Amino acid sequence: MGITVDDIKSHSRLIYENKLSDAESLADFRLEGSAKIAFPNGRLRMENEMEASLGQKANYVLWCMEEFPADVYIEWDFYPIREPGLCMLFFAAKGRDGEDLFAESLAKRTGEYPQYHHGDIDAFHVSYFRRKEPDERAFHTCNLRKSYGFYLVAQGADPIPEAKEAQAPYKIAVLHRGADVAFYINGLEIFHFVDDGVTYGKMLGGGKIGFRQLAPMIGEYADLKVYAVE
């Protein structure tokens, strides 16, 4: 794609900002599943509340209730605290017929992954700190999937080291503009996907964003910003 973060921001307008620094900053967020949420360092910290041995039942998603437009640039600071686990961002999330993500007509979601990729919603989801399974810990990649379905549409190398060696924060960013999705870590483009709107289902537009973690990961988040890309 070749577009830099500076180029994107020069053609963008800040439309949402949240420091994620205390409980009040989550007033417009909703949790699906069970999690321990705290702010020990003035940053949002998430940890599983249920035992990791319960598998998918121990995982969760924290949604921002704001509805964002189709063309956006999303960025936040990420601090890996403990692994194994996995961190993910959902974006452009809506009901499959265009409903609001929290419409009463949609099935209840509790953090279990199949509800999100083969349920009644559409979304992109980028997993960017994949340290759950042995192969993920041995060979680090960032994956972009499109749903409905479980389509792996893009992949790139993950430059973030193990949590014990991390020099956080890492600036994580997603550009979703028309058919283009690009993903960045500290300004480095990791992958770029161009959606034809056919091969992996219809083109996705605006919607909600949500942070997902897999137990027993502990991660911290700060300085969430969303820009409208012009």
Side-chain angles (χ1 to χ4, degrees):
M1 188 176 185
I3 185 170
T4 68
V5 168
D6 288 341
D7 290 335
I8 296 167
K9 287 188 174 181
S10 69
H11 295 86
S12 302
R13 174 174 51 88
L14 182 65
I15 58 174
Y16 180 84
E17 183 174 11
N18 192 323
K19 295 295 184 183
L20 302 177
S21 58
D22 52 31
E24 288 72 24
S25 66
L26 297 189
D28 59 348
F29 281 72
R30 180 183 294 187
L31 179 67
E32 293 177 347
S34 299
K36 298 176 184 177
I37 292 179
F39 301 86
N41 301 306
R43 302 186 291 264
L44 167 64
R45 173 176 287 194
M46 297 200 296
E47 178 182 359
N48 52 294
E49 187 170 59
M50 303 175 72
E51 291 294 330
S53 60
L54 294 173
Q56 283 293 335
K57 293 183 182 298
N59 303 328
Y60 48 90
V61 181
L62 182 66
W63 291 103
C64 179
M65 299 297 289
E66 292 282 331
E67 188 78 2
F68 294 111
D71 296 337
V72 291
Y73 173 76
I74 308 158
E75 69 175 20
W76 65 98
D77 287 346
F78 171 63
Y79 301 73
I81 305 299
R82 185 186 74 189
E83 52 183 276
L86 185 148
C87 298
M88 180 185 298
L89 181 82
F90 287 102
F91 58 100
K94 276 191 172 183
R96 297 201 65 201
D97 292 322
E99 306 98 326
D100 182 88
L101 190 66
F102 295 99
E104 292 185 0
S105 59
L106 300 183
K108 182 181 179 180
R109 300 178 298 269
T110 57
E112 298 177 53
Y113 200 24
Q115 300 169 349
Y116 300 85
H117 61 69
H118 275 88
D120 49 12
I121 70 172
D122 290 325
F124 281 111
H125 29 120
V126 55
S127 50
Y128 57 91
F129 190 79
R130 302 173 64 247
R131 308 290 195 274
K132 181 68 172 176
E133 303 300 332
D135 62 327
E136 296 169 348
R137 298 197 297 272
F139 189 74
H140 299 173
T141 62
C142 300
N143 293 348
L144 178 68
R145 294 186 182 272
K146 184 180 178 182
S147 298
Y148 179 85
F150 193 57
Y151 299 113
L152 178 62
V153 298
Q155 189 175 63
D158 173 9
I160 301 177
E162 296 179 5
K164 64 182 180 181
E165 297 179 351
Q167 297 182 7
Y170 294 95
K171 183 70 70 177
I172 313 295
V174 174
L175 172 67
H176 181 207
R177 182 182 60 183
D180 293 297
V181 177
F183 180 67
Y184 303 84
I185 297 178
N186 284 1
L188 174 68
E189 185 178 295
I190 305 300
F191 59 68
H192 171 220
F193 168 64
V194 181
D195 193 354
D196 63 14
V198 177
T199 306
Y200 306 110
K202 64 184 179 182
M203 197 85 70
L204 302 186
K208 290 183 167 59
I209 65 174
F211 295 103
R212 174 175 171 81
Q213 275 190 194
L214 273 61
M217 178 77 197
I218 299 177
E220 291 185 352
Y221 306 80
D223 294 328
L224 172 64
K225 295 180 182 179
V226 181
Y227 296 80
V229 181
E230 300 171 348

